[in-house]
Amino acid sequence: MVEVLPAILEKSFGPIQDKINRLRGKVARAQLDIGDGIFIPEESWREPERLAELGEEVKLDLHLMVDKPEQWINHWSQPNVWRITFHQEATYDVRRTLELVRQAGQEVGVALKLETPASVLYDILDEVDMVLLLAVVPGRQCQEFDARVIAKVEELRRQSQDVVIGVDGGVTPLVASSLVEAGANVLVSGSYFWEQEDVGEAIESLQVEQR
């Protein structure tokens, strides 16, 4: 079954706490989006010293939408963070940044904007735990899903049968099956997910059986 990760993007800590509380006992893992106002225009909440207040019941994948992510890793490497995902476009040395995440003790993901060709990651597919493909402009909520990402999922799956492929942005039940059929393992949902009253039903509506 495909993994569904709720995405959390907030400008202050209170709403993050509220959303984590809604997930407790229902979801084991979630994605926490961090924006610096440079790599993306929008700034998010950015206080890594408060991560511990969220507890460890819901493990976090930190999606660093930041410039020079290698400078952020040590600050954000906390016990409740199981994976750190950074953007290929944001660092001069992808392999060095991969190694820094490994040294910090987390799994590592590499994200690509929609316009970035999947081929830039061909050489490192066996070195990452996940590739995250964006189907929208990073950092903005309530955007429409861009179907061009489906071809990128298919392309990466042809290159590697083993790499975990996630898709983030505009993910709803209308597109979930197409993404999984193309080869996605992880579906990240923000706006659609949090619009649903029942967290469990939101997860079920996005879960698709993998072939």
Side-chain angles (χ1 to χ4, degrees), residues 66-109:
V66 303
D67 190 43
K68 299 180 177 63
E70 61 273 13
Q71 298 178 4
W72 293 60
I73 292 166
N74 284 340
H75 296 295
W76 289 91
S77 177
Q78 303 290 336
N80 55 350
V81 174
W82 111 89
R83 181 166 63 212
I84 294 178
T85 298
F86 66 91
H87 274 263
Q88 181 271 346
E89 305 93 345
T91 181
Y92 291 110
D93 192 335
V94 172
R95 278 198 166 90
R96 175 57 179 157
T97 307
L98 287 172
E99 182 58 28
L100 289 173
V101 176
R102 296 282 189 211
Q103 291 175 359
Q106 273 79 32
E107 291 188 10
V108 60

Side-chain angles (χ1 to χ4, degrees), residues 117-166:
S119 58
V120 300
L121 297 183
Y122 283 2
D123 291 342
I124 62 167
L125 289 179
D126 60 348
E127 301 174 39
V128 302
D129 295 299
M130 182 187 71
V131 174
L132 182 66
L133 300 177
L134 270 67
V136 296
V137 176
R140 301 176 187 171
Q141 302 187 62
C142 301
Q143 296 181 75
E144 291 293 325
F145 174 83
D146 192 319
R148 289 179 294 168
V149 77
I150 295 174
K152 289 179 71 174
V153 174
E154 293 172 337
E155 178 184 350
L156 281 179
R157 184 54 69 213
R158 288 193 297 269
Q159 289 294 317
S160 172
Q161 292 299 308
D162 299 322
V163 67
V164 174
I165 301 173

